């Protein structure tokens, strides 16, 4: 009679995915570089870094975690978490003193959207690195 081998799902083995996920958060594309997916990592670094830089150059606003009514809380905390999802790019920009005041410029509003989208794209890149690390994706 054949023995049934019981094993935990591969996503529970955190030693497989912890380093690529943390590197992917800290440096966009870093998880892919760690997993030796050089072209994908380079493309992600270029795309996310470019979106972030474009957002800064157009004087986009980085969100602060402000509470208030439900809509204000969701928008500001969501934007704040998305900005932080760019990892070292966010910390470098804030460390160097980047801060913009609210303006009525449409260009600055687009810049804010670029900053948020850079963070959301990095979240997708982190998920991709996770799936590659646990061997759910090639």
């Amino acid at each position: 009679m054949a023995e049934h081998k019981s094993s935990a799902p591969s996503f529970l083995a955190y030693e497989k995915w912890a380093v690529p996920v943390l590197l992917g958060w800290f440096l966009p594309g870093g998880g892919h570089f760690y997993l030796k997916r050089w072209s994908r990592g380079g493309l992600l670094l270029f795309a996310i870094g470019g979106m972030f830089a474009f957002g800064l150059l157009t004087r986009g606003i980085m969100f602060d975690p402000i509470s208030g009514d439900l809509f204000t809380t969701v928008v500001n905390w969501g934007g704040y978490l998305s900005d932080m999802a760019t990892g070292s790019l966010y910390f470098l920009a804030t460390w160097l003193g980047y801060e913009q005041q609210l303006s009525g410029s449409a260009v600055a509003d687009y810049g804010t959207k670029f900053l948020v989208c850079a963070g959301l794209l990095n979240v997708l890149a982190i998920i991709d690195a996770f799936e590659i690390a646990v061997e759910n994706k090639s």
Side-chain angles (χ1 to χ4, degrees), residues 7-18 21 127 130-131 133-136:
S7 65
S10 59
F11 66 85
L12 293 178
Y14 68 90
E15 51 280 327
K16 281 185 173 183
W17 57 263
V21 165
I127 292 169
F130 171 81
E131 289 183 342
V134 297
E135 299 166 354
N136 284 345

Side-chain angles (χ1 to χ4, degrees), residues 45-123:
L45 180 60
F46 177 75
I48 296 168
M51 287 181 78
F52 191 83
F54 192 72
L56 294 180
L57 291 172
T58 55
R59 297 186 175 153
I61 298 169
M62 288 197 205
F63 284 90
D64 291 322
I66 299 172
S67 298
D69 63 348
L70 181 62
F71 181 75
T72 301
T73 303
V74 169
V75 168
N76 285 294
W77 273 93
Y80 175 69
L81 293 173
S82 180
D83 286 342
M84 283 196 60
T86 56
S88 62
L89 299 176
Y90 171 80
F91 293 114
L92 182 64
T94 55
W95 180 66
L96 292 174
Y98 179 82
E99 186 174 339
Q100 291 296 324
Q101 298 301 319
L102 205 54
S103 75
S105 169
V107 173
D109 190 41
Y110 285 121
T112 302
K113 304 310 182 264
F114 270 95
L115 292 171
V116 169
C117 287
L120 294 175
L121 183 58
N122 199 37
V123 169

